[in-house]
Amino acid sequence: LVAPFIGIVLWAVILAVALYPAHRALTARFNGRENWSATLIVIVGLAVVILPVWFAAESTVTSVKALSVDLQDGNLTIPPPGERVRGWIVIGERVYLVWTEAATDLEAVLENFRPQLQQASDKVVRALGGLALGVVQFAIAVIVAGVLLVKAAGGYRFSCAVASRLAGERGPYLTDLSIATIRSVTKGVLGVALIQSILATIGFVIIGVPAAGIFGAIVLITAIVQIPAILVMGPIVFWVFSVADPVPATLFAVYAVVVSLADNVLKPMLLGRGVDLPMLVILLGAIGGAIGGGVIGLFVGAVVLGLTYVILTDWAGYAHLVETDD
């Protein structure tokens, strides 16, 4: 009965826990009016979710229409590749031949790759459908999170009561630990991924990478699921070397490496701070959860592994005390 709503409720709880400090600060500014603070957070949250998707969809539709018109009129042209493309490791010669053929006879290349393009387009359509559904669900979760923020005190007492029934006097501590873990993952994983995405997008725009916003979003997604950003930025570096002068291309390559390695500096600073858990436990839980359950698994995995770690260490300490007493 509740299965269709579990994802929405989980996201709502995660958002409410992560945003509660901001909610308290806004409530103080609004002279204790919690409803005003929660309403403002919901409006801003919906704008953050919906507006970028709206602009991206509008831009995509416009670009596709223009591309379709150019294809029909025969006005679509591709510049020939530079000789440096041949020097790319492993793929250079093949990319150079296909690129050259596309520059001279694009229609023939599209015809040769029609089955692959059809499969790719089908996957893109399904992915866009899933994205649209995800955006709707997340928007609903934002609204539910606003309600939970208003009822935060009661929700916290209920959580402590349930945890106390399950874990005795340690229940409130485990509840507080779960809250701190969620906020730690928000700062240490999502926050770092957002910083890397913004820095990468700035570099893409400055160097003139087409569709810089899309590649920046890909960097964000890969950073969230703990895939090194260099896997996205590396191919772009190769492309920049093929079209730009050596000096700016080299500067961009160095910049890409710095952005890709930024998480190694930022994560230890943000992840695990204020949480009574080893950073490695939180990170492993977040990575494992992301692999098994996507973005929401970042939080669920970190909380589950963190609680498991505490329960096991408590049990092991209790067992040690029993043996000592005997």
Side-chain angles (χ1 to χ4, degrees), residues 65-278:
K65 287 183 178 179
L67 179 62
S68 177
V69 171
D70 289 339
L71 281 173
Q72 291 176 359
D73 296 341
N75 297 328
L76 184 62
T77 58
I78 296 179
E83 287 298 323
R84 282 176 290 183
V85 175
R86 289 181 181 271
W88 290 1
I89 300 174
V90 180
I91 62 173
E93 191 65 31
R94 175 61 177 168
V95 171
Y96 182 86
L97 293 176
V98 175
W99 192 341
T100 302
E101 185 179 355
T104 55
D105 192 354
L106 180 59
E107 292 185 4
V109 173
L110 293 177
E111 186 63 30
N112 291 335
F113 288 94
R114 182 179 295 276
Q116 293 88 338
L117 292 174
Q118 184 63 44
Q119 292 178 1
S121 64
D122 293 340
K123 291 181 180 179
V124 169
V125 170
R126 289 195 296 269
L128 290 176
L131 176 62
L133 179 60
V135 170
V136 172
Q137 291 177 336
F138 198 79
I140 296 174
V142 170
I143 297 173
V144 176
V147 177
L148 294 179
L149 286 173
V150 176
K151 306 294 183 181
Y156 176 73
R157 289 194 298 269
F158 176 77
S159 300
C160 289
V162 172
S164 297
R165 294 290 293 177
L166 295 173
E169 62 181 14
R170 294 280 278 172
Y173 168 74
L174 295 179
T175 301
D176 293 338
L177 184 65
S178 301
I179 293 172
T181 302
I182 290 174
R183 291 174 183 165
S184 175
V185 172
T186 302
K187 294 181 293 185
V189 177
L190 292 185
V192 172
L194 184 60
I195 291 172
Q196 284 186 290
S197 174
I198 292 173
L199 292 177
T201 303
I202 292 173
F204 295 155
V205 171
I206 292 175
I207 203 66
V209 176
I214 295 177
F215 286 114
I218 296 174
V219 171
L220 175 64
I221 295 171
T222 54
I224 288 175
V225 298
Q226 303 303 295
I227 296 175
I230 194 64
L231 295 181
V232 178
M233 302 187 72
I236 297 176
V237 169
F238 277 107
W239 176 83
V240 170
F241 269 104
S242 69
V243 299
D245 294 332
V247 173
T250 302
L251 291 176
F252 176 74
V254 174
Y255 181 80
V257 172
V258 172
V259 171
S260 301
L261 297 178
D263 61 334
N264 294 326
V265 177
L266 295 175
K267 265 199 193 76
M269 296 171 57
L270 300 176
L271 190 63
R273 174 171 291 185
V275 185
D276 191 17
L277 284 173

